[in-house]
Amino acid sequence: MELIDFLNQNDRFAAMAGVQVVEMGQGCAKAVMTVVDHHLNGAGVCQGGALFTLADLAFAAAVNSGGFMTVGISHSITFVRSAMKGDQLTALAHEDPHHKMPFCEVRVTNQRDELICVMTGTAYRRNAALMPQG
């Protein structure tokens, strides 16, 4: 099984939210989500938690791209503009590598390449494989 498939199948919350990793490279990843009714908050715009879930899956893919179990320990997100129903969102994550505590920035944009939010995060890398062997 490829690492991208492992992440998409095993992050059940992200899958339930309609978020999927579509590209991965060493220290980088791209995840996508289309804003639908169940993503909307009381103001009729995409709920911040849905945006965070999108950014977080891209973050997870980028920091785990080396195959070692790496978990987030601190995140910050800044919302720049609202995402609306029907928006096609893309999260691009880029890791600043470090052996044990990588830092990562994730930029979420819509189909017009407008910035929706920016998430930054720090992770902790364990000395264990992400995917079970065999």
Side-chain angles (χ1 to χ4, degrees), residues 65-93:
S65 62
F68 289 96
M69 175 69 72
T70 307
V71 295
I73 58 173
S74 176
H75 291 75
S76 176
I77 191 165
T78 300
F79 302 104
V80 177
R81 124 181 327 107
S82 295
M84 310 303 284
K85 181 178 176 184
D87 278 350
Q88 308 286 318
L89 303 180
T90 301
L92 294 176

Side-chain angles (χ1 to χ4, degrees), residues 8-75:
N8 281 326
Q9 291 174 17
N10 288 288
D11 193 322
R12 292 172 292 283
F13 183 81
M16 180 191 68
V19 177
Q20 182 177 28
V21 178
V22 293
E23 291 178 23
M24 280 181 74
Q26 188 61 44
C28 62
K30 178 179 177 180
V32 297
M33 176 182 86
T34 300
V35 179
V36 295
D37 281 333
H38 68 263
H39 294 127
L40 303 180
N41 64 18
V45 298
C46 187
Q47 205 265 354
L51 295 171
F52 185 88
T53 298
L54 171 61
D56 189 52
L57 187 62
F59 170 90
V63 300
N64 281 285
S65 62
F68 289 96
M69 175 69 72
T70 307
V71 295
I73 58 173
S74 176
H75 291 75

